[in-house]
Amino acid sequence: MLLLLYLLFINGIVHQTGIITINEAEKYISAAKSLYKGNFTDAFSGLQFYTSYILFLSVFYLPGNVVIVVAAQALLSFTASIYLRSIVELLTKDKFVSIIGQCLFLFAFPIQSWTTTLFSDSFFISVSTITLYYTLKEKTKKDTILWFMFNLVLVFARPPGIFFVLPSIIFYLHQTRWLTAKSAIVLFLVSFTLIIFCIFHLPAETKGYIRPIAAGRVIVDSNDYTLPDFTTNNKSTLADAYSYLYNKKDIPFLINLYTKKVLSFFKLTRPYYSKTHNFLLHSFYFLYLFAFTGLISCWNKGNKSVSILAITILLGIINIVALTYNEWHYRFTVTIFPILIVFSMISIAIIRKRFA
């Protein structure tokens, strides 16, 4: 029954917005077609960290019917919702609340609106949710293999996948007593710093990523920015953009820009959305409050490692946006929704227990 209602919901989104196959989707469709023709080099050129989604898309797009892709993404999302329900039940021991969490995941428009696109977002959200389940549960040998496989898929689903996978691996090493809590935190900080250093020095201008950063944009809807005295080539890096900004501005400006990007990360609404769309998105801000309360409760009840896992994932995702830029939709923010839902359900379970 729940699956039927969910599919009707997805069908309603399709009728409202259609299936999106332009902009971001075009590069994945092109890669899938190249893969089908046997042009492996062309398929993954510049898209290595999207390999998992390209492979997924190539399987379901080959018939040339985008409806099949959306159906596959919807079924994967429904599967992820089952895992999310299991995560909530694992942390709260409350089946009723876990079902609420599953329903919230399935009928959250900010999440499911991406299921009807051929972007990588829906796939990424589903895989990250499933990975989170295998990270948290007590593992058999089979579970450990599945945990490893999903982490491998996730790190090549989208570039931010590394900020899910790194905390997942460190959490696993802590849970299996390879690392003490202090050692785990130190390892995360060192690894996180190294990743950020690499991101700053990796050539990235081939896709037009650097100019918006050098332009000091918070939300980006174009990569065509005219900047005096700033020339780029295929070897240009994030460090080049910040060097330009530093020379043109100053440290307070950079700190202010970073703060604006952090704040923009949490903002779902946009001035160019309709009033109805923005009203719908406003209703999801309650997740921030409930998730924060759930995070604190989880910490206070002795589940500090789970809280730290969530915090480190959030820090990674938020910081990569704050150091680069936010997107003209809320695509980057929605990646943390499964975590917000899980910890919101912890708050709901506490409230339910008090008034039961």
Side-chain angles (χ1 to χ4, degrees):
M1 182 62 178
L2 187 58
L3 176 59
L4 177 60
L5 289 174
Y6 169 65
L7 292 177
L8 288 173
F9 180 63
I10 293 297
N11 186 60
I13 296 176
V14 171
H15 278 285
Q16 184 70 28
T17 64
I19 296 174
I20 309 301
T21 59
I22 58 173
N23 298 328
E24 183 84 3
E26 292 173 342
K27 66 182 182 183
Y28 305 127
I29 294 171
S30 177
K33 288 179 178 178
S34 294
L35 192 62
Y36 177 65
K37 294 175 182 177
N39 299 328
F40 296 97
T41 303
D42 291 341
F44 299 111
S45 179
L47 297 172
Q48 291 84 354
F49 284 98
Y50 298 93
T51 297
S52 298
Y53 184 64
I54 291 170
L55 292 173
F56 173 85
L57 182 62
S58 65
V59 171
F60 297 103
Y61 187 73
L62 292 185
N65 191 335
V66 292
V67 174
I68 296 174
V69 179
V70 171
Q73 291 184 161
L75 290 175
L76 180 61
S77 187
F78 186 83
T79 302
S81 78
I82 297 172
Y83 281 95
L84 184 136
R85 184 182 69 195
S86 298
I87 294 170
V88 175
E89 190 172 345
L90 181 69
L91 296 176
T92 66
K93 306 295 188 283
D94 191 322
K95 289 186 177 181
F96 179 75
V97 170
S98 70
I99 293 172
I100 294 176
Q102 181 184 16
C103 291
L104 183 55
F105 179 92
L106 288 175
F107 300 105
F109 178 78
I111 294 176
Q112 299 305 333
S113 60
W114 299 104
T115 305
T116 62
T117 74
L118 270 64
F119 288 30
S120 59
D121 301 81
S122 179
F123 178 80
F124 184 83
I125 291 167
S126 295
V127 174
S128 64
T129 302
I130 297 170
T131 305
L132 182 62
Y133 167 75
Y134 282 109
T135 300
L136 291 172
K137 83 181 295 283
E138 190 174 333
K139 299 172 188 60
T140 62
K141 287 185 178 180
K142 179 183 176 182
D143 292 329
T144 302
I145 293 171
L146 289 170
W147 168 80
F148 176 81
M149 289 175 60
F150 278 110
N151 272 291
L152 187 62
V153 172
L154 185 58
V155 79
F156 288 103
R158 281 178 70 185
I162 187 63
F163 295 109
F164 281 80
V165 172
L166 175 63
S168 175
I169 292 172
I170 294 176
F171 181 86
Y172 172 77
L173 292 174
H174 173 59
Q175 291 298 89
T176 52
R177 303 187 187 282
W178 282 85
L179 293 174
T180 63
K182 289 183 179 179
S183 298
I185 293 172
V186 170
L187 180 59
F188 169 78
L189 292 174
V190 171
S191 301
F192 181 79
T193 301
L194 287 173
I195 290 170
I196 295 298
F197 178 83
C198 289
I199 289 172
F200 259 76
H201 292 87
L202 282 175
E205 185 53 24
T206 53
K207 302 295 181 181
Y209 295 138
I210 300 302
R211 296 189 72 82
I213 300 169
R217 295 304 296 262
V218 175
I219 293 178
V220 172
D221 54 8
S222 170
N223 58 15
D224 184 19
Y225 295 100
T226 301
L227 299 173
D229 307 323
F230 185 71
T231 57
T232 59
N233 54 48
N234 59 3
K235 293 184 179 180
S236 296
T237 65
L238 186 59
D240 294 330
Y242 272 95
S243 177
Y244 175 82
L245 272 175
Y246 174 75
N247 290 328
K248 291 291 182 181
K249 304 292 182 178
D250 50 28
I251 293 295
F253 173 84
L254 294 178
I255 294 172
N256 185 49
L257 181 62
Y258 177 90
T259 303
K260 286 180 178 178
K261 291 178 182 180
V262 169
L263 294 175
S264 79
F265 177 85
F266 294 101
K267 189 175 181 180
L268 299 174
T269 58
R270 297 288 190 269
Y272 36 80
Y273 288 167
S274 68
K275 289 183 179 179
T276 302
H277 194 172
N278 277 330
F279 176 79
L280 183 63
L281 292 173
H282 268 116
S283 65
F284 286 92
Y285 282 134
F286 79 91
L287 283 176
Y288 296 141
L289 175 62
F290 277 81
F292 179 76
T293 305
L295 195 65
I296 297 299
S297 299
C298 192
W299 180 282
N300 291 336
K301 291 189 175 182
N303 224 342
K304 292 183 180 180
S305 58
V306 175
S307 296
I308 292 173
L309 173 67
I311 290 169
T312 51
I313 291 173
L314 295 175
L315 281 176
I317 300 298
I318 293 167
N319 269 285
I320 196 60
V321 169
L323 292 173
T324 55
Y325 47 75
N326 205 351
E327 205 251 4
W328 71 288
H329 276 311
Y330 44 81
R331 293 176 55 213
F332 301 152
T333 308
V334 80
T335 58
I336 69 169
F337 263 48
I339 293 175
L340 296 181
I341 292 173
V342 166
F343 283 91
S344 291
M345 291 306 104
I346 292 175
S347 292
I348 298 299
I350 292 170
I351 294 171
R352 184 168 180 264
K353 188 175 180 180
R354 286 181 179 176
F355 290 94

